[in-house]
Amino acid sequence: MPELVLELNGQTWTLDPTRSYRIGRDPQGDLVLQDARVSWHHATIRWAGQGWVVEDHGSTNGTYAQGRRIQQLPLAGGTVVHLGNATDGPRMNFSGAAVPSPQQATYQAPAPAMAGPPPGTPPQQPGFGGHPAAPAGPPPQGSPVTFGGATSLHDLAVGQVTRIGRALENELVVSDLQVSRFHAEFLAHRDGRFEIHDLGSHNGTYVNGQLLPRNGRQYLGQNDTVGIGHSTFRLVGSQLQEFVDTGEVSFSARHLTVKVNNDQLTILNDVSFGVPEKSLIGVIGPSGSGKSTLLRALTGYRPATYGEVLYDHRNLYTHFAELRHRIGLVPQDDILHTALPIRTALRLAAKLRFPGDVGEAERNARVEEVLAELKLSPHATKRISSLSGGQRKRVSVALELLTKPSLIFLDEPTSGLDPGMDRDVMQLLRGLADDGRTVLVVTHSVAELGLCDRVLVMAPGGGVAYFGPPDEALNFFGYETWADVFSAFEEYRDFDWMSRWRGSQHYQMYAADLDAVQPQAAQFQPMVMTQQKAQTWGSQVRTLMRRYAAVIMADRGFLGLTLALPIVLGLVSVVIPADHGLGPGPQIRNGDASIILLVLVVGMCFSGAANAVRELIKERVIYERERAVGLSRSAYLMSKVFVLGIVTMLQAGIMAAIGFAPRDMPPEGLVLADAPAVEMTIVLMVLGLTSMMIGLVISALVRTSEMTMPLLVMISVVQLVFTGALFQVHGTLGVEQLAWLMPSRWALGGLGSTTALNWLTAPPNELTPQDPDPLWTNDAGTWFLDVGMLLLLAVACGFLVMRFLRRHEPEVMRK
């Protein structure tokens, strides 16, 4: 490996080929330049296996050799490279290196250089701060896609097949639990073409950000990228360059604008900022300043109307399917079931998030690593609900750390915590950033902002009022406390805080280069039809059922109510007097039979709906997060249907046993000739399932838990009215058709068919019933019609739940 000597700004370095050198305005870089034309992370010099190269990282003003803008250039003795301007930008002179196998440099179209702030920049005004210039945030990155120095290089020989995966039998082993044991393979054909073949991977193989079909194949062109887990591979010549995402990634937002109400109202206004690697960013601002909207735009949950979010030089919206596993999001509410112990909750979450071929021992080992990292091991067997607020937030962070994300976003993690816990959580986030992650936290608390590397202050109207070091922020605004700043926001809501920021020196230092590119409409790639899931559908259903059953068993209050409800309702039906029970005969009449059955039917309607009416709304935040990382919508719904269905059918059995035990039963059934009571119990069970589905519809439809109980009561009353037992429903135009939508109507019909309810409720002096209800006809065909309609209504409710669940998913995942 020949030595390379670099001369820059009158200084000389002899470069070590075992490491790479980062050039830019970042003070943590290897070669730091304060020239405004140089981007935060401008370029890298590294040994590329066959020679030294300089690689531009998509800098704003470019890297130049011989007057031409380059992306990558082999270096040799006598090479001269300019940064930021082709003629007078900082000059790097290289000597002492020879390049055994020179490669063709990759050029970009020349771009005009910016020698300083754009013309017409307003002068700094008093009170805007007067601190020395500091490094700006990372520059905007655009096409073509570029990366930092390759982690490793792999030669692809002609005719060779290179398999990649976690298993040691692969030619290219990747130690990443997001990667399948045998994930994909690269094929170097004898005709000079290269091909990628997915081997049925769980989390998918991505070519230039787009998912390759499972077991699919695709030919690769030069500089095409292949994403597998946390690794990205790029084909350069006959060489495969591997870039492992270890957390050192750039992240920036450019011109993010969100408009609603047919673009009539702007709730996020042209927000641009760059996040240095391994840093902690605090986002503060008054209520209504767009903080939550910004967070959703940054994470891809709700893409901006205009602008783009760049993760490691790639557009997050168009690469969301691939990059979503590298981004962690901790919402304000808990994203774990608090009734479970910490270790159990994390193990179940790991089973959902990791590929199906990751063994239990591997998953559990990762859980223990995260518990140890966040100092939760001593509390691992405690229920989450028993923890303090700060510890519960640690558990939510632990869930996100399972998949080793490079970026972690948190929404109000200190909300409701006392000052001590506030500091504890912020110190936790500081530690996460120091360990090699970038952390962005939206918060109302300003007490611990000094722990942040940068602070973004949002102004009323959704614009940026300040971005920069937290210790310079108050001087920038000209106030002594944050309370004064927020009071100013409230008092001067019509003041143009954005223009004040853009006319300041701080803007030139920290954000000006991000606005160099003109805003454009945001583009994103919907991923519903192509979404790859780590677990099979059946595996997801089983895991969700296991988790849901554990949550129910841990909630003794719910278990007690679940058991008491059918007992009480069954006893209520027993109170109603009925001398001759429910069994018909030639001389037997029982006018109370319809009331007895009515109580059982309405009780089952209420019980089934009550079981499910809160289940989706209370897990909405959990569902949204899990859906973003690969949960199947139908698997989630079916897990609820199976577990709640079992509970509901048990309730129906208890209610039927109590309600039917003291009554005379019909001499025989229509379908089960020797078991009419069982036949009637089946009707109640199917009614319970249908009512449960109605409860899920309500739970998926409402915005808050408080709305569920009024709707539950309303639905129960409506069911009571349209059964046909209180007044004649059939034969009344409009009323009869509306009653067809009520499960209680069909359920009472099924019970009435078995018991010959038309005959039981007829006056004693009538030999035949007058104007009988057609749904109570005593024949098997009518019974099957009644039960079949109950099942049809249940399926229709399931379809509605699926549609309503869409509204609570990341927008890029919707059709």
Side-chain angles (χ1 to χ4, degrees):
M1 300 181 187
E3 289 185 344
L4 181 68
V5 178
L6 166 64
E7 181 183 355
L8 175 64
N9 286 344
Q11 294 182 287
T12 302
W13 295 268
T14 300
L15 305 186
D16 180 1
T18 63
R19 56 167 296 189
S20 60
Y21 295 82
R22 294 176 300 168
I23 306 169
R25 298 203 316 273
D26 183 359
Q28 297 181 356
D30 302 293
L31 301 172
V32 183
L33 299 170
Q34 294 299 331
D35 194 297
R37 296 166 293 180
V38 177
S39 293
W40 181 262
H41 298 142
H42 195 103
T44 296
I45 301 172
R46 61 183 176 84
W47 176 257
Q50 297 179 327
W52 288 93
V53 296
V54 59
E55 188 173 37
D56 183 272
H57 290 303
S59 61
T60 301
N61 296 320
T63 302
Y64 299 85
Q66 297 179 353
R68 302 179 65 185
R69 185 167 183 168
I70 58 97
Q71 177 184 348
Q72 188 180 84
L73 178 73
L75 298 174
T79 302
V80 177
V81 174
H82 287 275
L83 303 175
N85 188 283
T87 56
D88 64 349
R91 175 188 175 109
M92 298 190 298
N93 297 308
F94 297 92
S95 60
V99 183
S101 302
Q103 304 175 29
Q104 181 67 30
T106 303
Y107 291 95
Q108 294 179 333
M114 291 179 62
T121 299
Q124 182 177 345
Q125 299 179 22
F128 281 26
H131 298 271
Q141 308 291 345
S143 299
V145 175
T146 60
F147 302 89
T151 307
S152 57
L153 304 172
H154 311 278
D155 291 321
L156 299 177
V158 174
Q160 175 182 342
V161 176
T162 304
R163 288 183 307 172
I164 180 172
R166 286 194 342 270
L168 297 178
E169 295 86 345
N170 291 283
E171 288 77 22
L172 206 165
V173 180
V174 178
S175 300
D176 182 356
L177 292 183
Q178 296 280 21
V179 176
S180 299
R181 285 179 52 79
F182 298 96
H183 196 105
E185 61 185 10
F186 292 96
L187 298 90
H189 295 289
R190 298 189 179 279
D191 60 4
R193 293 188 298 171
F194 297 91
E195 187 180 18
I196 179 68
H197 174 207
D198 181 83
L199 298 178
S201 64
H202 292 269
N203 274 334
T205 303
Y206 297 85
V207 178
N208 296 325
Q210 302 305 310
L211 179 66
L212 189 67
R214 180 169 286 181
N215 296 308
R217 297 172 176 266
Q218 182 170 329
Y219 284 103
L220 300 175
Q222 287 297 302
N223 291 313
D224 277 353
T225 62
V226 176
I228 296 177
H230 285 81
S231 297
T232 302
F233 300 87
R234 182 173 61 179
L235 181 65
V236 178
S238 61
Q239 197 174 64
L240 198 63
Q241 299 181 349
E242 181 182 4
F243 306 85
V244 179
D245 185 348
T246 59
E248 298 183 6
V249 297
S250 62
F251 184 80
S252 61
R254 296 193 298 187
H255 301 293
L256 291 185
T257 300
V258 175
K259 297 191 174 189
V260 294
N261 298 339
N262 295 323
D263 291 349
Q264 298 299 311
L265 177 63
T266 299
I267 57 177
L268 194 67
N269 189 5
D270 201 10
V271 174
S272 298
F273 66 96
V275 178
E277 300 170 1
K278 300 181 180 180
S279 60
L280 174 59
I281 309 298
V283 180
I284 63 173
S287 299
S289 58
K291 300 187 299 297
S292 296
T293 301
L294 173 63
L295 186 65
R296 297 180 73 82
L298 293 175
T299 56
Y301 274 41
R302 201 287 187 192
T305 310
Y306 299 96
E308 57 185 348
V309 177
L310 296 169
Y311 175 100
D312 200 19
H313 321 304
R314 284 180 283 177
N315 190 312
L316 175 63
Y317 298 161
T318 57
H319 293 75
F320 183 80
E322 176 186 354
L323 299 178
R324 62 197 167 108
H325 297 292
R326 307 189 194 183
I327 296 176
L329 173 63
V330 181
Q332 182 175 351
D333 298 323
D334 291 318
I335 51 177
L336 286 166
H337 294 85
T338 57
L340 299 178
I342 297 175
R343 182 178 282 121
T344 301
L346 291 180
R347 285 183 174 181
L348 289 170
K351 182 165 178 60
L352 282 175
R353 295 196 177 196
F354 288 128
D357 62 357
V358 175
E360 183 178 1
E362 291 179 285
R363 294 195 307 269
N364 293 346
R366 178 57 189 157
V367 169
E368 296 305 316
E369 288 177 11
V370 172
L371 289 173
E373 180 180 359
L374 296 184
K375 300 180 176 59
L376 289 170
S377 297
H379 311 286
T381 58
K382 295 180 181 178
R383 287 190 182 184
I384 299 173
S385 58
S386 68
L387 303 176
S388 66
Q391 289 174 328
R392 287 172 67 166
K393 194 56 63 177
R394 282 178 178 267
V395 178
S396 293
V397 173
L399 171 62
E400 294 304 308
L401 291 186
L402 289 174
T403 54
K404 298 183 178 180
S406 300
L407 286 170
I408 301 178
F409 295 89
L410 300 99
D411 188 8
E412 301 287 357
T414 61
S415 177
L417 302 183
D418 61 45
M421 290 183 179
D422 182 355
R423 179 175 59 188
D424 179 66
V425 171
M426 291 300 292
Q427 287 176 340
L428 165 67
L429 303 183
R430 178 70 265 172
L432 293 177
D434 293 338
D435 287 342
R437 308 174 184 91
T438 297
V439 182
L440 188 145
V441 53
V442 174
T443 179
H444 277 106
S445 174
V446 297
E448 303 298 332
L449 284 181
L451 294 173
C452 298
D453 298 291
R454 297 282 188 272
V455 61
L456 174 68
V457 183
M458 300 294 292
V464 177
Y466 173 82
F467 178 71
D471 56 355
E472 300 180 15
L474 289 177
N475 266 355
F476 171 83
F477 288 106
Y479 293 100
E480 295 184 359
T481 67
W482 282 108
D484 294 331
V485 175
F486 280 49
S487 294
F489 283 148
E490 183 63 30
E491 186 175 356
Y492 305 107
R493 295 190 69 88
D494 295 331
F495 183 75
D496 193 349
W497 296 98
M498 273 187 66
S499 296
R500 182 179 189 272
W501 156 243
R502 293 192 171 185
S504 70
Q505 179 184 354
H506 279 73
Y507 171 78
Q508 297 300 324
M509 292 188 291
Y510 299 113
D513 54 352
L514 291 166
D515 281 337
V517 178
Q518 292 299 314
Q520 54 185 345
Q523 299 179 353
F524 64 93
Q525 180 68 36
M527 54 174 294
V528 170
M529 299 301 293
T530 60
Q531 182 183 358
Q532 193 96 349
K533 299 176 180 63
Q535 298 282 337
T536 63
W537 186 88
S539 177
Q540 286 191 356
V541 172
R542 290 191 296 272
T543 302
L544 291 168
M545 288 178 62
R546 177 185 167 193
R547 182 179 70 181
Y548 189 30
V551 170
I552 291 177
M553 295 304 295
D555 190 344
R556 294 183 180 179
F558 178 82
L559 283 176
L561 182 62
T562 300
L563 180 63
L565 189 60
I567 294 176
V568 172
L569 294 174
L571 291 173
V572 168
S573 71
V574 174
V575 173
I576 302 173
D579 295 335
H580 302 291
L582 301 174
Q587 303 299 325
I588 294 176
R589 296 287 192 273
N590 181 7
D592 294 325
S594 62
I595 304 301
I596 296 172
L597 296 178
L598 174 65
V599 171
L600 292 174
V601 165
V602 174
M604 199 63 244
C605 286
F606 180 83
S607 182
N611 289 338
V613 76
R614 289 182 180 268
E615 288 307 310
L616 301 184
I617 181 63
K618 73 180 184 182
E619 290 186 359
R620 185 159 295 173
V621 176
I622 298 175
Y623 170 74
E624 182 179 41
R625 182 67 192 125
E626 290 182 339
R627 179 74 173 130
V629 294
L631 178 66
S632 165
R633 184 194 308 159
S634 59
Y636 176 75
L637 176 58
M638 290 309 300
S639 70
K640 296 292 185 186
V641 171
F642 287 149
V643 176
L644 287 175
I646 293 173
V647 172
T648 303
M649 286 193 291
L650 288 175
Q651 289 179 322
I654 294 172
M655 190 182 302
I658 296 174
F660 296 154
R663 311 292 186 186
D664 293 333
M665 288 290 105
E668 62 179 4
L670 299 174
V671 178
L672 302 175
D674 298 329
V678 174
E679 181 176 297
M680 296 168 69
T681 302
I682 291 174
V683 175
L684 288 180
M685 287 182 174
V686 177
L687 170 63
L689 291 176
T690 306
S691 299
M692 178 199 72
M693 296 304 299
I694 292 178
L696 290 177
V697 171
I698 294 173
S699 193
L701 182 63
V702 298
R703 296 182 179 272
T704 64
S705 295
E706 290 74 16
M707 298 173 64
T708 57
M709 295 312 296
L711 288 175
L712 175 61
V713 172
M714 181 189 73
I715 289 293
S716 300
V717 172
V718 171
Q719 297 271 23
L720 170 66
V721 171
F722 287 94
T723 54
L726 298 182
F727 65 94
Q728 180 174 308
V729 171
H730 65 279
T732 305
L733 184 62
V735 175
E736 181 179 16
Q737 287 70 33
L738 185 60
W740 292 344
L741 301 177
M742 305 300 161
S744 60
R745 170 68 172 148
W746 299 103
L748 188 61
L751 297 176
S753 295
T754 301
T755 59
L757 193 58
N758 280 322
W759 177 266
L760 277 177
T761 56
N765 57 349
E766 291 185 7
L767 297 179
T768 60
Q770 300 296 319
D771 195 15
D773 193 318
L775 297 187
W776 299 352
T777 303
N778 186 227
D779 62 56
T782 302
W783 189 92
F784 277 114
L785 171 65
D786 293 329
V787 174
M789 288 302 299
L790 282 174
L791 292 173
L792 181 62
L793 288 173
V795 171
C797 288
F799 176 78
L800 290 177
V801 175
M802 290 284 287
R803 298 294 296 176
F804 292 148
L805 281 176
R806 286 182 64 254
R807 304 186 308 169
H808 311 300
E809 299 171 358
E811 188 169 319
V812 295
M813 304 184 72
R814 304 177 193 171
K815 293 183 182 180

